[in-house]
Amino acid sequence: MALDSAVIRRQFPFLQERKHPVYLDSAASAQKPDCVLQAMDTFTRTRYANVHRGLYALSEQATDLFEQSRNTVRTFLRARHADEIVFTKSTTEALNLIARSWGHATLRKGDAVALTILEHHSAIVPWLQLKEEKGIEIVWIGIDDQGNVQREELTRALGKGNVRLVSVTGLSNVLGVRPPVGEIAAEARRAGALVAVDAAQWIGHHPISVRELDCDFLAFSGHKPYGPTGIGALYAKRELLRSMPPFLGGGMMIREVHRNGFTPADAPQKFEAGTPPVTEAVGLKAALEWLEAIGWNDIESHEAHLMRVAFDTLRTIPGLRILGPKTPDGASGCVSFVVEGTHPHDLTDLLGQQGFCLRAGHHCAQPLHERLGIPASVRLSVALYNTEEEIRALGPAIARARSVLSK
Amino acid sequence: MDLYAEHILEHHRHPRHKSPIANRTIEHAENNPACGDTLALELKIKKGKIEAAGWNGSGCALSQAGISMLLEKITGMSVSDVEKFSPKDMRSLLGVPLTTRRLQCAFLPLLALHNALRKSKGGQTETWPELLDQDQE
Ligand SMILES: Cc1ncc(COP(=O)(O)O)c(C=O)c1O
């Protein structure tokens, strides 16, 4: 394995703390490397100004940095144009933007949006809101027991002719499965539907090319690929952004405002009302450059190894059931499980007491948990800074937690 | 003392009142937004007294032990006394230290109880923030 995890770990201040826990919750949010923290710190201390406003040099430099960050996102996603990248607060805001702007303007009663049962609440609720408001229909696409999207259900749904958009996650934040987004996009396109991809998890684990996928929308957050919170992005095809009405009204999103009306600015500014997260854009740029510099081959092989170790470790625990994929090559980034007779809350509380950070709950994917027939699960997620030893140590820790509950 | 104290684990393993009751006069369910666990409560109120109480649901040791202990405590009490049962009382009933991350597990039984009683009087139900506010007082 080419990736030297000691070198990676040294770059994370969190891991230099004398007593740091074993962090296995990067799917919720990743720790930040020095280069991200330093880029934000230097900008805030010495280069700070608002963007797109002042005519003085400092503001111009800040604007340049902000636009360079947009361009870094463009390159990272392999998008054609920088103006196809809209900065948002998060994946959640980006997905809401699709529903509130495109959905609100174009969908009519009787139109349908298809969602896979794997989706995160942020890809579900905005459409349920439109269902309440406009009477659109939500069509659910199921999965098999290993978490694979039931393609024939999608085909059937698209056959009805009223599906206008398919929203699909690029990587499930619970099961770690990766739906074949490219194939789904192609099929949707043939049926005249748009495709929105939730790349919140995907972004930090595997390369993305929106050009290859030919998807219409793709959303992600900065804080999962080792960047800061408070920033995310929406990729959308240029023609789409041109046709979509603004999402929030305010400063920067207008061309002109008069007492009785306004004309919006061009995209992406049209969708970026108010002072944007400038410092966070600087941090995001540093994070994405850091990832690209490590290289996807090394990232993928390190994390695939960690997933094999995770499956090996979890499988030895009696009464533990892994959800979804049967083998580690079917899962990426995270694996979720339940332990017979042990509620996920109790297990993760007791693991926390032993210095292991894992998440318990429905992970903002309640329809998926309903499909799995359980109220909650425990999730182990991996990142570049995790090691085989950290994951192996979890086995005995789970056994100790169980013995507390059953003593 | 730690959260997983012997009395909590004992109630968790052998929950009291965990069955439906006959001639119930109110039913009410609440859930824990942090994990989606639900707790369904049934009460039989007669002449201003809690004559019987039962519950159902799945959840963590803390919420399960909590409802078990709470129903044991309130059965036979007058409604007006039970209405006054506060987060502070719940804390002392549980008798273990609570951290922020487990407050909703600890207070889920109390929210279900408060709202069952409010519902029986046709009143508005209490929200999580309202309940947690009382804990600050
Ligand atoms: C698959 C998926 N979609 C969307 C989100 C929402 O991301 P955020 O909370 O950063 O908006 C998350 C993260 O929680 C996620 O894992």
Side-chain angles (χ1 to χ4, degrees), chain A residues 126-179:
Chain A
W127 302 111
L128 289 176
Q129 286 178 301
L130 271 190
K131 175 184 152 124
E132 279 181 13
E133 190 185 316
K134 301 190 130 201
I136 66 161
E137 191 189 326
I138 308 293
V139 185
W140 289 97
I141 311 299
I143 51 169
D144 66 16
D145 288 338
Q146 296 218 49
N148 302 304
V149 171
Q150 302 276 23
R151 293 292 299 282
E152 62 293 348
E153 288 187 23
L154 178 67
T155 307
R156 218 177 307 134
L158 290 170
K160 287 213 222 141
N162 67 338
V163 174
R164 300 281 166 256
L165 177 126
V166 178
S167 192
V168 58
T169 182
L171 199 169
S172 162
N173 65 317
V174 179
L175 303 180
V177 289
R178 302 172 64 193

Side-chain angles (χ1 to χ4, degrees), chain A residues 341 343 345-347 349-350 353 359-362 366 375-376 404-407, chain B residues 2-4 6 9 13 32-33 35-37 58-62 101-102 105:
Chain A
H343 191 276
H345 259 180
D346 295 320
L347 184 59
D349 194 321
L350 288 161
Q353 293 178 23
R359 176 148 175 215
H362 52 55
Q366 241 178 337
V404 169
L405 290 167
S406 57
K407 78 180 173 220
Chain B
D2 126 73
L3 187 59
Y4 295 97
E6 193 44 51
L9 291 171
R13 281 193 295 268
N32 181 346
C35 60
D37 284 343
S58 68
C60 61
L62 189 57
R101 64 178 184 277
R102 299 305 293 269
C105 313

Side-chain angles (χ1 to χ4, degrees), chain B residues 15-34:
Chain B
R16 329 286 201 262
H17 295 267
K18 193 173 180 179
S19 55
I21 54 169
N23 307 321
R24 56 184 174 264
T25 52
I26 330 165
E27 294 169 58
H28 183 72
E30 285 288 346
N31 70 358
N32 181 346

Side-chain angles (χ1 to χ4, degrees), chain A residues 191-208:
Chain A
L194 302 186
V195 171
V197 180
D198 173 354
Q201 294 296 331
W202 183 358
I203 188 90
H205 297 291
H206 304 283
I208 296 176

Side-chain angles (χ1 to χ4, degrees), chain A residues 89-110:
Chain A
K89 175 161 74 89
S90 57
T91 306
T92 301
E93 190 181 276
L95 294 171
N96 273 271
L97 196 164
I98 305 172
R100 294 294 163 90
S101 169
W102 175 83
H104 193 268
T106 58
L107 297 179
R108 305 273 169 271
K109 190 175 164 66

Side-chain angles (χ1 to χ4, degrees), chain A residues 76-270:
Chain A
F76 198 84
L77 299 180
R78 310 286 183 261
R80 279 196 182 78
H81 313 288
D83 59 53
E84 295 178 316
I85 308 299
V86 176
F87 280 126
T88 63
K89 175 161 74 89
S90 57
T91 306
T92 301
E93 190 181 276
L95 294 171
N96 273 271
L97 196 164
I98 305 172
R100 294 294 163 90
S101 169
W102 175 83
H104 193 268
T106 58
L107 297 179
R108 305 273 169 271
K109 190 175 164 66
D111 285 343
V113 168
L115 306 174
T116 83
I117 199 78
L118 293 169
E119 301 311 301
H120 185 277
H121 292 169
S122 59
I124 299 173
V125 180
W127 302 111
L128 289 176
Q129 286 178 301
L130 271 190
K131 175 184 152 124
E132 279 181 13
E133 190 185 316
K134 301 190 130 201
I136 66 161
E137 191 189 326
I138 308 293
V139 185
W140 289 97
I141 311 299
I143 51 169
D144 66 16
D145 288 338
Q146 296 218 49
N148 302 304
V149 171
Q150 302 276 23
R151 293 292 299 282
E152 62 293 348
E153 288 187 23
L154 178 67
T155 307
R156 218 177 307 134
L158 290 170
K160 287 213 222 141
N162 67 338
V163 174
R164 300 281 166 256
L165 177 126
V166 178
S167 192
V168 58
T169 182
L171 199 169
S172 162
N173 65 317
V174 179
L175 303 180
V177 289
R178 302 172 64 193
V181 175
E183 290 174 25
I184 291 174
E187 188 177 352
R189 203 163 37 250
R190 285 194 298 275
L194 302 186
V195 171
V197 180
D198 173 354
Q201 294 296 331
W202 183 358
I203 188 90
H205 297 291
H206 304 283
I208 296 176
S209 165
V210 291
R211 245 185 289 181
E212 248 170 65
L213 289 174
D214 202 12
C215 58
D216 299 280
F217 299 104
L218 183 138
F220 76 92
S221 299
H223 65 100
K224 305 217 196 224
Y226 311 95
T229 54
I231 191 164
L234 176 68
Y235 158 83
K237 283 183 180 162
R238 197 181 238 181
E239 320 79 78
L240 259 172
L241 285 181
R242 187 170 301 161
S243 71
M244 284 160 54
F247 163 51
L248 297 171
M252 301 311 303
M253 52 69 70
I254 40 81
R255 194 188 304 274
E256 32 181 351
V257 182
H258 300 291
R259 271 172 289 191
N260 55 5
F262 74 96
T263 22
D266 292 333
Q269 277 75 32
K270 178 164 65 170

